[in-house]
Structures are given as C-alpha cells and as structure tokens.
Amino acid sequence: MEKDLTSVPRNDYHRPSLMERNSTTPISEWNDSIDGLEGGTSDHAIRCHLPSPKGTKVSPLTKYKPTKITRSRKTKRWSQLEEETRKTAVDKFGRGKWKLMLDSNKDIFKERTEVDLNDKWRSMTRYGCK
Amino acid sequence: MEKDLTSVPRNDYHRPSLMERNSTTPISEWNDSIDGLEGGTSDHAIRCHLPSPKGTKVSPLTKYKPTKITRSRKTKRWSQLEEETRKTAVDKFGRGKWKLMLDSNKDIFKERTEVDLNDKWRSMTRYGCK
DNA sequence: CTGTAGGGATAGGGTTTA
DNA sequence: TTAAACCCTATCCCTACA
C-alpha cells in the first residue's frame, strides 16, 4: 500500500507509527534502556549499541524492502527572517515557549511547528553558535 | 547565550504540592547542556542562583487566563529500577493504584508523582506493548 | 478534597536529507 | 562525513471528573 506523496502539510495527523514505516524495526522501547543511574552521579555516556536485528528475520524472497520513510514535509531551510524572529522570540518569551512563539508569529512560522522551533534552537546552540 | 540559567538539581528537588506548583510558576530555565554526558560531579559548582520567586506574586483568588507555563522539572528518563518496581507494583496492587505504589516505594519513586506513574503506564501500553 | 484519566506541549533521542 | 531539518515518543503539566 503506497502512501500519498502529495506533500501533506502537517495537519494530516495520520501517524504512520514506526511499524508501518519500517516493519523490521524491533519494538525495543524499554526492554534495554540503559539509562539507569541518572540520579546523582551519572557518568556513563556510552550507550551500548547492540547489534541491530536487521536481516535476521527477512525472508530471502522478499528482497523488496522499501525503507523510504516518505517524509511528509519537504526539507525547507530556515530563512533569515525566520531565524531572526525565532531568536527574538526566545529572548522575549524564554526558551521552551515554542507554542507561544509560534502563535505570536503565525505569519512567519507559517510552515513550522513547535518541534521545528525546538529543533532549530537545538541546532543553533548545539555547536556554540548562538 | 544570554538566557538566564537556573539549574535545579534533580537530587535536591523537593516536590511541592499541586497548589504550590500551580501558583508560582518559575520563569527560570534550567541549564541546558546539550551533550548531557557531563560527569555530574565536575561542573555543578558555579551556578547563578537567582532569588526564589516564591510567594512574591501569588494571588489565589484571581484565576487569570491560563498562561503558557514553563516546565519546572527537567526531563528525567525512567531508570530500569523504576520500571521494574513499577511493573512489579502494578502486578501487586493493580493498575491505577498509583498513590499506593508511590507510598510503598518512596525511596525509588522519590522524584515521581502519581501522575508520573500513570503517564509511564500509559506510554508503556499505548503501542500494544505490555 | 484526593486521586485518576486524558489532552496537550516540550525535551531529547533518532533518522533522513543535503 | 557532518550538520540541518524532520520525525517519534517519553516525560511533564494542566484540567476535568469520579
């Protein structure tokens, strides 16, 4: 079953849910969470990377494994105006008030979500760039 | 970064009552180190300690418009011990007896609320995984 | 009033694209 | 390869209701 690729805006709230997107994805959400002792002196930054079970249960006949994760949105780089607005909004409302920023600048962030704002903020601060 | 950084150490976090949390919502942001893999015992010495806004502007009588709030707790993933304990407790007391579970494991669920337990249960069962 | 259920928003880990 | 952009969902907060 193919999905429609008409670049649905994010209003379509059909969540494909990993399983639908990639049927070989193991349902390992909490079976091996190693983030145990974080209360206090958490000092382990190494996540165990278990071997991915990919390929262990794939029938040799069904070689057609469309891992195309049909993104619902096309990648769109942040414009200067958007970045400026976001920066100002963070100074004004504080970090984390993404919804508020969004509502206050609907026209500018027309195609962005709160998560996008958060993502942008993260990528901007991740490497020292303010 | 010119944002105010007020870190709230999770360990010393005293969970106030609902009313207390509801009335005085701090505007402060927690210190966000992006990496999250800091030693924990090496860099928590120098922090700006802003005066606590407790009791400065609370007016229980007027319930103004529900303003957007900021989080007062930093996200903390459930440890394996917590999950195990919760799972056992569910088997023991039955689902929904969050307060009971909480009281029976105060030491483990030190920083969790009944709602947290419920939330965890929800996320665990939300996708068919039990 | 206490405690639970559920909706909604954010934080952070992961994946895909450029 | 790296980083930006995007996705997924665990966690948190609030409100309604039993």
Side-chain angles (χ1 to χ4, degrees), chain B:
Chain B
M1 284 188 200
E2 58 268 16
K3 298 188 306 306
D4 59 335
L5 304 172
T6 304
S7 80
V8 179
R10 294 285 309 173
N11 303 334
D12 299 332
Y13 182 68
H14 162 255
R15 182 170 357 109
S17 71
L18 276 175
M19 296 308 295
E20 192 177 344
R21 287 162 52 184
N22 203 3
S23 52
T24 72
T25 301
I27 328 289
S28 56
E29 306 287 345
W30 46 81
N31 179 23
D32 24 59
S33 50
I34 308 304
D35 44 15
L37 35 87
E38 68 278 3
T41 54
S42 56
D43 65 342
H44 65 355
I46 304 168
R47 285 286 186 272
C48 324
H49 286 285
L50 298 179
S52 174
K54 275 200 176 95
T56 51
K57 59 161 197 171
V58 55
S59 174
L61 292 179
T62 59
K63 182 174 183 176
Y64 50 86
K65 184 175 176 289
T67 10
K68 300 293 187 277
I69 51 91
T70 55
R71 291 196 176 183
S72 41
R73 286 197 293 169
K74 191 178 190 316
T75 298
K76 189 199 178 193
R77 295 187 90 83
W78 280 64
S79 68
Q80 190 126 38
L81 175 60
E82 284 177 314
E83 295 199 14
E84 287 293 331
T85 306
R86 186 204 54 75
K87 197 179 298 184
T88 304
V90 168
D91 290 338
K92 186 175 177 184
F93 300 113
R95 181 233 150 168
K97 300 288 187 285
W98 311 125
K99 181 70 177 202
L100 194 54
M101 300 180 200
L102 210 59
D103 292 340
S104 301
N105 301 280
K106 279 186 186 301
D107 49 337
I108 295 174
F109 297 136
K110 203 180 308 178
E111 307 172 42
R112 305 292 179 187
T113 68
E114 310 95 288
V115 175
D116 290 336
L117 287 172
N118 184 28
D119 284 336
K120 187 59 182 174
W121 174 260
R122 234 195 327 171
S123 66
M124 295 283 285
T125 56
R126 176 167 289 176
Y127 302 100
C129 309
K130 184 199 172 300

Side-chain angles (χ1 to χ4, degrees), chain A residues 38-91:
Chain A
E38 286 173 296
T41 58
S42 139
D43 53 358
H44 67 297
I46 300 103
R47 308 270 312 196
C48 309
H49 287 283
L50 299 178
S52 174
K54 266 178 191 164
T56 56
K57 54 189 223 177
V58 175
S59 170
L61 290 178
T62 60
K63 50 120 177 87
Y64 183 67
K65 196 172 63 154
T67 320
K68 54 168 192 174
I69 307 278
T70 52
R71 264 174 144 151
S72 50
R73 285 194 293 167
K74 189 178 183 304
T75 298
K76 187 194 177 195
R77 283 193 90 81
W78 280 63
S79 68
Q80 184 109 42
L81 176 58
E82 283 177 315
E83 296 200 13
E84 286 294 330
T85 306
R86 185 205 54 79
K87 195 181 298 184
T88 305
V90 168
D91 289 339

Side-chain angles (χ1 to χ4, degrees), chain A residues 74-123:
Chain A
K74 189 178 183 304
T75 298
K76 187 194 177 195
R77 283 193 90 81
W78 280 63
S79 68
Q80 184 109 42
L81 176 58
E82 283 177 315
E83 296 200 13
E84 286 294 330
T85 306
R86 185 205 54 79
K87 195 181 298 184
T88 305
V90 168
D91 289 339
K92 184 175 176 184
F93 300 114
R95 178 231 150 166
K97 304 280 231 0
W98 311 123
K99 188 62 185 292
L100 193 55
M101 300 181 200
L102 208 59
D103 291 341
S104 301
N105 300 281
K106 277 188 186 302
D107 48 336
I108 295 173
F109 297 136
K110 201 179 308 181
E111 306 176 48
R112 306 291 180 187
T113 67
E114 310 96 292
V115 175
D116 290 335
L117 288 171
N118 183 28
D119 286 335
K120 187 59 182 175
W121 180 86
R122 265 198 300 171
S123 65

